[in-house]
Amino acid sequence: MSRWEAMALLGARLRDELVVLSLGGAVDEWYDAAPHMRDASLFQQQLGCVTPEAFGLAAGLPHRRIVSLDTDGGLLFNLGILATLGNEQPANLFVVVWDNEQYQSIGGPATHTAKGRVDLAAIARGAGVAEAHTATTLEEFDAHCAAGLAAHEPYIVVAKTDGVLKPGIRRKHSDGREDKYIFVRHVEETEGIVVMGPSEHN
């Protein structure tokens, strides 16, 4: 299925959630598929850090729904996070894994899921995440989005997508540092808290 079309379905369901997503083509696709979530989305830069960072937000803001938009390559860099989710059982964390079976951002070399033996949802279930599923169609994916956003336990859906970037989408014209401040200021405003106070050098 098309990742962009799946993103559009998920984006249509989101309002007050906070989103952490991986690097690569998914950044620009999410920027276009869910423009209303721009301030509420943290565009991560390191493989293996997306779901752990989302888990940290879920632990720190237990009243807020947190969405992790991870990738097969990213999750494979840090499978240990699945054991953490299995043990800690964050009730407000919904994890989507875009699995296109390749490291797309560096030219497309295959990930371990490409040979058909590695099942990320099965690994998650083995680590204690009971609600871990694989979706191969947009209909399945949308149903899992509805269930995952309403769940009271960690919920993972591995979305098997093609490797085709949507042509003609707008690029995100901001860098990682700027994205961090946009996201943190959004959290401060919507939560009524101070995360990063004024600089002493102002």
Side-chain angles (χ1 to χ4, degrees), residues 38-129:
R38 194 269 177 268
D39 291 356
S41 297
L42 179 60
F43 299 91
Q44 186 48 264
Q45 300 298 320
Q46 294 85 27
L47 289 176
C49 295
V50 175
T51 296
E53 193 161 312
F55 168 68
L57 281 170
L61 300 171
H63 56 283
R64 194 90 177 256
R65 180 68 62 177
I66 310 299
V67 179
S68 171
L69 301 185
D70 215 328
T71 63
D72 52 326
L75 188 59
L76 285 164
F77 264 66
N78 190 359
L79 289 172
I81 185 58
L82 297 176
T84 300
L85 300 186
N87 279 336
E88 298 300 325
Q89 292 292 304
N92 56 328
L93 181 59
F94 176 45
V95 179
V96 176
V97 182
W98 306 120
D99 184 2
N100 62 5
E101 301 181 353
Q102 61 179 286
Y103 292 103
Q104 190 172 39
S105 63
I106 58 171
T111 67
H112 287 307
T113 64
K115 292 187 177 181
R117 299 188 186 96
V118 177
D119 184 333
L120 294 174
I123 293 171
R125 289 192 299 272
V129 182

